[in-house]
Amino acid sequence: MTNDFMAYCNLIYLGMLSSRIPIVPPFVPELGHLAQGSLNTDFSEFFDLSRLRESLNYPVLEWSQVKKAAYAGSEFDLENVVEEPIGCWTNMKPFSDSHQVQQTNLPDFLKLDVSYTSTPRSAKLNEWNDAHTSFLGLSSIMYPTGRAKALSEKTSVPSYSPHQNLSLVPDDHLTCFDSLYFTAGRDTYEWEKDYSPVWTLVGKHMRFTKKVEDIAMFYLRKVFGVQRNEDIPPFISVHVRRSDFSWKKCLELSKKEECFLPLSAYATQIGHVQAELRSLNSPYPDGTHILVTSDEKDPNWWAQVRERGWYFIDHGGEKTSEVHGKWYPSIIDAYVQSQGIAFVGTGQSTMSLVAARRVQYWNNGPSRMVELN
C-alpha cells in the first residue's frame, strides 16, 4: 500500500510538471501484502484529496470520477460498461525478468484493454539498465515533439492488448503509465533523500481523512486507557517490518527468530531518539510511551513486546479487518506511526520511510532506522 501511495504522489507531481490533470487510481489488493478478497478502494477513502487540492492549488481527480467500475460501496451495473481500448506507456517492461508490464488488476477493474509501448531511452534517469525513469523525461513525451521522437524509436512498438488484440500507440489526450514507482527527479530511490521534490511538494500535504483519524484515535484511546475528552499521551511510534524482512537467511523454520532483527535492536534506537528528544529540550524527553506497529502475526512475539512495557493495537483481537475492511489495519498503523513525537522504523521498508518523513515534517520529531545487515 505504501508503494502505491508513493507512486500516486509521483503521478500527481508528474501531472503538475507537465500541466496535466492527474487521475489517481484506487488502491488495489497486492498479493503478499493484503489478503485476497479485499476491495479496490478510492484513494480519497484514506487521504484527504480536498485538502490536498487546496494545498497544491491544483486539480486532482480519481478514476471513480472518470469511469464506472466496481469501487467499494458502489452500485454500478457493470454489465453495461463497455471495455475500452487504450494505448499506454510502460516503464517496467524492458527491465522486468519476464519482460512484462507492471502486473495489476487495475485495467480489468476499470474495463480497459491496454496496449503498451515502452518508454524511450531518453526517459530513463541514468545509463544503468534499471527501471528508474526521470520526471522530465516522462514529461517530455507528453508534448508533441517529444512524443513524436519517442514513437520514432525502433523499440517503440506497441504490444497487442490482451482482450481485443489491438496494437495502439499511447493515447495523446489521456497519458497513462503502467508504473511510476521508480520515477525520480535526480537520484534513484529519491524518496529516501530529504530533498525529494515529490515529498516536499506533494507528499507532505497528503493528510489522512477525518474517517481514518477518528477510527485510529478510537483504538489509541483504548490502548492507552483514556476517555474521549482526554488527550492521547505522547508516544514514540515504532514500525517493525517482519513478514518478508529477515536480516539473514533462515533455512530452518524452527529458527525463525534468528531470521529477524531482535526487539533489542529497536530498543537501542529508541534510546537514541529519547536522547535526541532530551537534547531538543522536549517536554517529553522519554516519549512517555512506546507504541509498536508490525505485520507480525505470532502472538508469542507480541507477548515479548508487551513484556517490555510497550503498547500496541491488537488488530486480530479487535477484528479491525472484519469491522472496517482489510485495508484498515495497515492504514490505521500508518496514521498511528505519524502521530509519534519520535519514530523508530525498519531500514529498507517504505512504510517506515514515509512514517519517518511524516514525523519529521508534521511533528518536528527525530527518527532512526534499525538497519538490516
Side-chain angles (χ1 to χ4, degrees), residues 9 45 92 102 137 213 284 289 306-307:
C9 287
E45 170 80 7
M92 301 301 294
Q102 178 76 17
E213 179 181 355
Y284 309 103
H289 298 298
R306 184 179 288 109
E307 287 171 2

Short mmCIF file of all heavy atoms in Angstrom, two decimals, residues 9 45 92 102 137 213 284 289 306-307:
data_model
loop_
_atom_site.label_atom_id
_atom_site.label_comp_id
_atom_site.label_asym_id
_atom_site.label_seq_id
_atom_site.Cartn_x
_atom_site.Cartn_y
_atom_site.Cartn_z
N CYS A 9 1.74 9.69 -5.48
CA CYS A 9 2.33 11.02 -5.27
C CYS A 9 3.21 11.40 -6.46
O CYS A 9 3.19 12.56 -6.92
CB CYS A 9 3.15 11.05 -3.97
SG CYS A 9 2.18 11.05 -2.45
N GLU A 45 -10.67 7.56 0.19
CA GLU A 45 -11.19 6.89 1.38
C GLU A 45 -10.23 7.08 2.55
O GLU A 45 -10.64 7.16 3.71
CB GLU A 45 -11.36 5.39 1.09
CG GLU A 45 -11.66 4.52 2.31
CD GLU A 45 -13.11 4.58 2.75
OE1 GLU A 45 -13.94 5.18 2.03
OE2 GLU A 45 -13.43 4.02 3.81
N MET A 92 8.17 -0.44 -17.09
CA MET A 92 8.69 -1.64 -16.45
C MET A 92 9.04 -2.76 -17.41
O MET A 92 9.93 -3.56 -17.13
CB MET A 92 7.65 -2.17 -15.45
CG MET A 92 7.28 -1.19 -14.35
SD MET A 92 8.71 -0.69 -13.35
CE MET A 92 9.12 -2.25 -12.58
N GLN A 102 4.04 -3.85 -15.60
CA GLN A 102 3.70 -3.97 -14.19
C GLN A 102 2.36 -4.71 -14.06
O GLN A 102 1.35 -4.32 -14.61
CB GLN A 102 3.58 -2.58 -13.56
CG GLN A 102 3.17 -2.58 -12.10
CD GLN A 102 4.32 -2.97 -11.19
OE1 GLN A 102 5.48 -2.95 -11.60
NE2 GLN A 102 3.99 -3.32 -9.97
N GLY A 137 12.02 13.44 -18.28
CA GLY A 137 11.98 12.56 -19.45
C GLY A 137 10.58 12.12 -19.78
O GLY A 137 10.17 12.11 -20.96
N GLU A 213 -8.72 9.21 10.82
CA GLU A 213 -8.30 9.80 12.10
C GLU A 213 -9.22 9.35 13.23
O GLU A 213 -8.74 8.95 14.31
CB GLU A 213 -8.31 11.32 12.00
CG GLU A 213 -7.92 12.01 13.29
CD GLU A 213 -7.97 13.52 13.18
OE1 GLU A 213 -8.21 14.03 12.07
OE2 GLU A 213 -7.77 14.19 14.21
N TYR A 284 8.69 16.04 26.74
CA TYR A 284 8.51 14.60 26.97
C TYR A 284 9.77 13.87 26.51
O TYR A 284 9.76 13.17 25.50
CB TYR A 284 7.29 14.09 26.21
CG TYR A 284 6.04 14.91 26.48
CD1 TYR A 284 5.58 15.82 25.53
CD2 TYR A 284 5.35 14.78 27.67
CE1 TYR A 284 4.44 16.58 25.77
CE2 TYR A 284 4.22 15.53 27.92
CZ TYR A 284 3.77 16.44 26.97
OH TYR A 284 2.65 17.18 27.22
N HIS A 289 5.53 6.92 26.35
CA HIS A 289 5.11 5.57 25.98
C HIS A 289 5.78 5.17 24.66
O HIS A 289 6.14 6.02 23.85
CB HIS A 289 3.59 5.48 25.81
CG HIS A 289 2.82 5.79 27.06
ND1 HIS A 289 2.93 5.04 28.21
CD2 HIS A 289 1.93 6.77 27.33
CE1 HIS A 289 2.13 5.54 29.15
NE2 HIS A 289 1.51 6.60 28.64
N ARG A 306 4.86 -6.87 24.78
CA ARG A 306 4.13 -6.50 26.00
C ARG A 306 5.04 -6.58 27.23
O ARG A 306 4.96 -5.74 28.13
CB ARG A 306 2.92 -7.41 26.17
CG ARG A 306 2.04 -7.03 27.36
CD ARG A 306 0.84 -7.94 27.49
NE ARG A 306 -0.15 -7.71 26.45
CZ ARG A 306 -0.40 -8.55 25.45
NH1 ARG A 306 0.28 -9.68 25.35
NH2 ARG A 306 -1.31 -8.28 24.55
N GLU A 307 5.91 -7.58 27.26
CA GLU A 307 6.82 -7.76 28.40
C GLU A 307 7.75 -6.56 28.57
O GLU A 307 8.21 -6.27 29.68
CB GLU A 307 7.64 -9.04 28.22
CG GLU A 307 6.84 -10.32 28.43
CD GLU A 307 7.62 -11.56 28.03
OE1 GLU A 307 8.82 -11.40 27.63
OE2 GLU A 307 7.06 -12.67 28.10
#
